[in-house]
Amino acid sequence: MSTHKVFDSNKNCWKTSQATHATPLIDCANYYSALHSSICNAKHQIIIVGWDIDSRIRLLHGEAEEQSEAPSRIGELIKWKAEQNPDLQVYILRWDSSFAFFDQREMWALEVWEDKTPDNVHVMLDDSIPMGGSQHQKLAIIDNEVAYSGGMDVALHRWDTREHLIDEPGRIGPDGEYGPFHDVQMVSCGPVVEHLAELARWRWNRLSDTAIDTPEAMPDHGNERPETWPQGVSSCFENVPLAIARTLPEMDDVESVQEVRHMLLDLIGQAERFIYIENQFTTREEIARALNKQLKAKPDLEVLIVSSYDPKGLFETEAFWASRLAFKDIIEDGVDTDRIKMTYSSIRDQQGRLAYKRIHSKVMTIDDRYLVIGSSNLSNRSMTLDTEVDVVMFGDTDSNRKCIAFTRDDLIAEHTGRDIETTESIMGGKHIVNELMNNQIAHGYVLTEINDEEFTEASKANIFRTISDPEEPLIPPVKGLGGKLTAITNPRRRTIMITVGLAVLACIVGLLLFISNTVSWLDGDRISAFLEESRGTYFALPTVLLVYLIGGLLFFPVTVLSLAVAAIFGPIWGPIYGIFGALLSAGTTFLIGKGLGNAGLRKLAGPKVEAVDKKLANTGIVGVATIRMLPIAPFSLVNLVAGISSISLMQFLMGTFLGMFPQMIAKGLVGDSIMQIFKQPSAETVTYLVIGLVVWIAMIVGSQKLAKMYQAKKQSDNAEDSEKEESEQCIA
């Protein structure tokens, strides 16, 4: 296959095209800054497709964040931009994800975006990927004139600078600090954007009832860079020919596409002198065999592979590290190992602290003729099961070949702690791999040959690899009534959450049923008998407190307890004892709720709890009192939810007292009347019962009216304050 005919749209690529300008963006600090700039300059349309798009991620850090007029966090930035320009349409398509990544994702991503952004921001979760696969394409299209593609997500644990310092204050997420992280993205403009935008629109339109319209004509900027090109970013490649290769699994409306797999195999077959690879995972044995074959066919060819070293968890160790041992054995079979090195980049500073650089990029160079920047790992799943997109640039001119060589040498320089000039000198000589591995600078980043036997042993097939790096869906398609095969997809995030919630609820209900069936005193009659024994003794109040405390923890109805206490202790002491018991029970379950909220229940509950939280915070004591007067939710449940919110314990207890004590008095009349009716039925006792019920109902109706009046007054006051502020601003 001759050099200029490698790209074959019938086999190894979807489209062939050209980028008027293109340049690699190395590491997330550079990509996030560029993306922030392009979003700020957008006028018409933003499309972002990703494995994850986390609204909490800061795109800017340090001085750039301090000096920027636009928000730094992407969720706030999109909201700000969409409100600023109502004609701008924003489309965000994120993978719905699987259970394995729950700890790495924003729990209620869809609801967060929908609740915090205006109507011109459209958000959707892609749940169409077959079981075991993932949505792995990473694209951002700005005004159909600038495109970002590659390996980077706007996600947790991604941001880092090119220095990859051991101590980096900006390298911290919602769940704590993380180590050095390396990735590569590409920004481009020109004809290539039309095709990447077409791919992004197709991804959205196949899932949504509201389609993204195809623009009538793509903007033509000639050889000039468009306004949405990121500020401060120069272009390395100019008018560079390229190809777009994809992986698509077989889905209900999609045939399997394995262009990436065929492209990489064809490119390896073109190598003459040097192949450079940096990739998160290297497990695809077909790729290893192709590399070994080319090494044997080309005696001068050398190969350098840079990947991660310390595995994250058992699944990564046994699925990817164990497979990498086999990958390494295949490449080195019958080949001088001085010509091929599989390495990792790490640093040990003068204090002896060691840090491993996490490699997440997906880059390959073939001599100085081809540069691949994409989303595909050298793994089974990336070749067949996940959705992927790689862009392959061809060095057709001296300038573009120099760009490919510079990108490769720049990356190697970063990983070896050298400057670019020294690296270029080594790359121009002989025995390149050995020279790169030798004489590296102490206390800087160095390349070291991997030794995965430290973590595991070679395994061609195991349960971990079957689950984490499959070639086919974990559950095969099933035939429908019409005989058509239907793919079994990953369970939706909402389905998983509902299942988990139902499981937790079932456990709680089961526990309560077990307690109610085994604890003989847990019923109304026995509680009344238990309270009756304490009447007239010094233990009356402690007994009531104990009953309310245990009843609250077991979600026993507070109304039943209040009526029982009133019936036994009368219309005066009954309400007094009852309110003390209710306050103790409410305060205890409130504190339990606060503890659960701090432990992560607030994150699990999502933005809906935030809405309740705001209402409680705005209304304070009056809001709590209103909730207590209206029988809208179980007593203990209200306590737990209030604990999750930001209202203080003192406000909560005062609101509970004001809302419940009048009811206690009414229940005292009702409860005592019921007891007297059973003991000595008469017109007087029936009258007391009727009066108590009327008072009770009147308090509920009155509380509703008071709540409405209070809310109306507060809205009126807020409106007056707003008008006053606007007036003062106008005067100023």
Side-chain angles (χ1 to χ4, degrees):
M1 186 179 290
S2 60
T3 300
H4 65 283
K5 292 184 179 179
V6 170
F7 300 157
D8 182 355
S9 58
N10 294 315
K11 177 188 175 186
N12 62 22
C13 63
W14 174 51
K15 303 282 187 181
T16 57
S17 188
Q18 184 186 63
T20 308
H21 296 276
T23 196
L25 298 169
I26 301 176
D27 292 317
C28 276
N30 290 319
Y31 169 46
Y32 286 179
S33 175
L35 182 62
H36 186 279
S37 173
S38 292
I39 290 174
C40 287
N41 290 325
K43 292 182 175 65
H44 308 293
Q45 187 183 85
I46 298 171
I47 309 174
I48 305 177
V49 178
W51 182 85
D52 192 12
I53 306 162
D54 193 312
S55 69
R56 301 167 293 179
I57 300 303
R58 292 162 58 201
L59 299 182
L60 302 179
H61 288 248
E63 186 177 344
E65 184 176 28
E66 294 173 2
Q67 295 181 354
S68 175
E69 295 181 359
S72 173
R73 297 186 188 276
I74 189 168
E76 297 170 1
L77 175 65
I78 293 292
K79 175 179 181 290
W80 172 80
K81 186 66 183 178
E83 289 177 342
Q84 191 182 66
N85 180 7
D87 293 331
L88 176 70
Q89 298 298 314
V90 182
Y91 300 89
I92 295 174
L93 179 63
R94 194 199 97 159
W95 180 39
D96 201 10
S97 82
S98 72
F99 189 76
F101 298 108
F102 257 44
D103 63 330
Q104 302 176 32
R105 314 306 274 307
E106 202 168 15
M107 187 65 71
W108 294 98
L110 181 63
E111 288 79 3
V112 167
W113 281 102
E114 288 180 341
D115 288 356
K116 294 187 176 180
T117 54
D119 292 340
N120 53 332
V121 178
H122 316 277
V123 185
M124 190 163 52
L125 303 183
D126 188 345
D127 60 357
S128 67
I129 311 301
M131 178 72 75
S134 72
Q135 195 312 97
H136 209 237
Q137 294 170 340
K138 300 105 190 291
L139 296 168
I141 314 296
I142 313 297
D143 281 352
N144 290 302
E145 58 187 22
V146 165
Y148 294 90
S149 62
M152 294 199 209
D153 298 289
V154 184
L156 292 181
H157 303 167
R158 298 291 195 266
W159 185 91
D160 202 359
T161 66
R162 294 209 63 182
E163 289 74 24
H164 302 292
L165 303 174
I166 292 180
D167 290 324
E168 171 54 70
R171 221 169 42 224
I172 186 168
D175 55 349
E177 299 178 359
Y178 57 94
F181 192 91
H182 173 77
D183 212 335
V184 178
Q185 197 85 339
M186 185 181 81
V187 58
S188 57
C189 65
V192 64
V193 179
E194 179 179 358
H195 303 304
L196 293 175
E198 180 185 350
L199 177 60
R201 288 194 303 272
W202 173 79
R203 292 302 309 272
W204 179 277
N205 292 345
R206 63 182 291 267
L207 299 173
S208 175
D209 295 331
T210 306
I212 305 176
D213 295 331
T214 303
E216 294 181 2
M218 301 294 289
D220 184 7
H221 298 280
N223 284 324
E224 298 297 319
R225 293 192 292 259
E227 290 184 15
T228 50
W229 184 269
Q231 293 181 0
V233 175
S234 58
S235 55
C236 185
F237 294 92
E238 293 187 4
N239 299 313
V240 60
L242 51 79
I244 301 170
R246 306 162 302 164
T247 298
L248 296 175
E250 185 175 356
M251 296 179 277
D252 292 348
D253 58 336
V254 180
E255 293 184 1
S256 174
V257 173
Q258 297 181 9
E259 295 156 357
V260 168
R261 169 176 167 249
H262 293 297
M263 175 64 78
L264 296 180
L265 293 173
D266 290 343
L267 289 177
I268 290 170
Q270 292 292 306
E272 298 282 345
R273 187 168 181 269
F274 192 80
I275 297 176
Y276 173 68
I277 298 171
E278 56 179 51
N279 205 281
Q280 183 181 11
F281 299 127
T282 52
T283 63
R284 180 76 175 179
E285 294 182 5
E286 182 182 33
I287 299 292
R289 287 191 292 271
L291 289 167
N292 178 265
K293 179 181 177 181
Q294 194 67 6
L295 282 163
K296 289 177 178 177
K298 302 291 181 179
D300 294 331
L301 178 64
E302 298 187 55
V303 178
L304 177 67
I305 301 175
V306 181
S307 190
S308 299
Y309 190 56
D310 55 329
K312 307 296 183 185
L314 182 63
F315 271 85
E316 189 168 88
T317 302
E318 298 305 326
F320 294 102
W321 266 239
S323 300
R324 191 166 68 180
L325 282 165
F327 187 95
K328 185 173 185 286
D329 288 341
I330 292 171
I331 290 182
E332 294 178 347
D333 182 36
V335 175
D336 182 358
T337 55
D338 285 342
R339 296 169 55 203
I340 165 70
K341 295 293 181 186
M342 295 183 65
T343 67
Y344 64 92
S345 183
S346 64
I347 185 173
R348 187 183 295 277
D349 67 8
Q350 293 179 340
Q351 288 76 43
R353 296 178 300 172
L354 177 64
Y356 299 101
K357 187 188 298 181
R358 183 74 173 175
I359 303 297
H360 191 263
S361 48
K362 300 91 171 59
V363 172
M364 180 185 291
T365 65
I366 305 296
D367 300 321
D368 60 356
R369 291 179 294 160
Y370 296 96
L371 168 61
V372 182
I373 296 178
S375 65
S376 306
N377 291 306
L378 302 185
S379 62
N380 293 323
R381 61 184 309 121
S382 284
M383 299 298 111
T384 62
L385 185 57
D386 294 344
T387 62
E388 308 282 6
V389 58
D390 291 2
V391 175
V392 187
M393 285 167 282
F394 170 50
D396 63 325
T397 64
D398 287 342
S399 174
N400 285 331
R401 282 194 293 273
K402 286 179 181 178
C403 250
I404 292 173
F406 178 82
T407 299
R408 175 198 64 201
D409 298 348
D410 190 27
L411 289 168
I412 293 174
E414 176 188 307
H415 298 317
T416 60
R418 294 185 172 95
D419 57 45
I420 186 69
E421 291 78 15
T422 303
T423 304
E424 287 175 342
S425 175
I426 293 173
M427 295 300 298
K430 296 182 178 181
H431 310 297
I432 298 172
V433 170
N434 267 347
E435 289 298 315
L436 288 172
M437 300 295 291
N438 295 332
N439 301 317
Q440 298 184 72
I441 301 172
H443 309 308
Y445 274 96
V446 297
L447 285 179
T448 307
E449 188 169 7
I450 63 172
N451 177 28
D452 288 334
E453 289 87 349
E454 178 182 345
F455 306 107
T456 184
E457 58 185 24
S459 175
K460 292 202 171 192
N462 60 45
I463 185 64
F464 300 100
R465 183 174 185 178
T466 301
I467 295 173
S468 294
D469 192 24
E471 292 187 70
E472 298 178 348
L474 297 181
I475 300 178
V478 297
K479 281 189 177 181
L481 295 176
K484 182 182 178 181
L485 289 175
T486 301
I488 305 299
T489 62
N490 293 303
R492 296 181 179 181
R493 175 192 54 88
R494 190 180 298 275
T495 302
I496 295 174
M497 293 303 301
I498 291 173
T499 302
V500 171
L502 289 175
V504 172
L505 181 60
C507 291
I508 293 174
V509 171
L511 178 62
L512 294 178
L513 288 174
F514 173 78
I515 292 173
S516 64
N517 289 327
T518 55
V519 180
S520 60
W521 53 267
L522 197 60
D523 61 62
D525 292 339
R526 292 184 181 274
I527 290 174
S528 296
F530 181 67
L531 291 170
E532 182 73 39
E533 291 180 4
S534 69
R535 188 169 65 169
T537 70
Y538 292 110
F539 301 103
L541 179 58
T543 301
V544 172
L545 296 178
L546 178 63
V547 168
Y548 267 94
L549 180 60
I550 295 175
L553 295 175
L554 297 177
F555 279 64
F556 196 83
V558 71
T559 299
V560 175
L561 293 178
S562 301
L563 289 172
V565 169
I568 292 169
F569 295 101
I572 298 177
W573 289 109
I576 295 174
Y577 288 169
I579 194 63
F580 276 116
L583 290 175
L584 175 64
S585 179
T588 302
T589 43
F590 175 92
L591 292 175
I592 292 173
K594 186 164 288 294
L596 291 173
N598 293 337
L601 192 57
R602 181 189 294 271
K603 178 182 178 182
L604 183 67
K608 301 305 179 186
V609 162
E610 291 185 17
V612 175
D613 185 6
K614 287 180 180 178
K615 291 179 181 179
L616 284 174
N618 289 336
T619 56
I621 295 172
V622 175
V624 176
T626 303
I627 291 173
R628 288 306 190 196
M629 287 182 180
L630 301 175
I632 58 174
F635 176 76
S636 296
L637 181 61
V638 172
N639 301 336
L640 288 173
V641 172
I644 296 172
S645 77
S646 58
I647 193 171
S648 70
L649 176 61
M650 186 58 64
Q651 282 183 310
F652 179 70
L653 291 179
M654 290 180 67
T656 297
F657 175 81
L658 293 175
M660 293 195 69
F661 194 53
Q663 295 182 59
M664 290 287 186
I665 296 173
K667 290 174 185 176
L669 292 172
V670 172
D672 187 65
S673 299
I674 292 174
M675 182 65 71
Q676 294 303 321
I677 285 174
F678 279 108
K679 290 181 178 180
Q680 298 176 349
S682 64
E684 183 180 359
T685 56
V686 172
T687 301
Y688 275 124
L689 177 60
V690 172
I691 293 173
L693 290 172
V694 170
V695 171
W696 194 348
I697 294 171
M699 286 186 171
I700 292 175
V701 174
S703 67
Q704 290 177 324
K705 291 185 178 181
L706 285 173
K708 290 179 180 178
M709 290 172 58
Y710 174 80
Q711 194 65 30
K713 183 177 184 305
K714 187 158 188 177
Q715 289 177 352
S716 175
D717 292 343
N718 289 339
E720 290 178 3
D721 291 342
S722 178
E723 289 177 3
K724 184 178 179 181
E725 288 179 5
E726 290 179 3
S727 176
E728 290 175 351
Q729 289 174 357
C730 289
I731 293 172

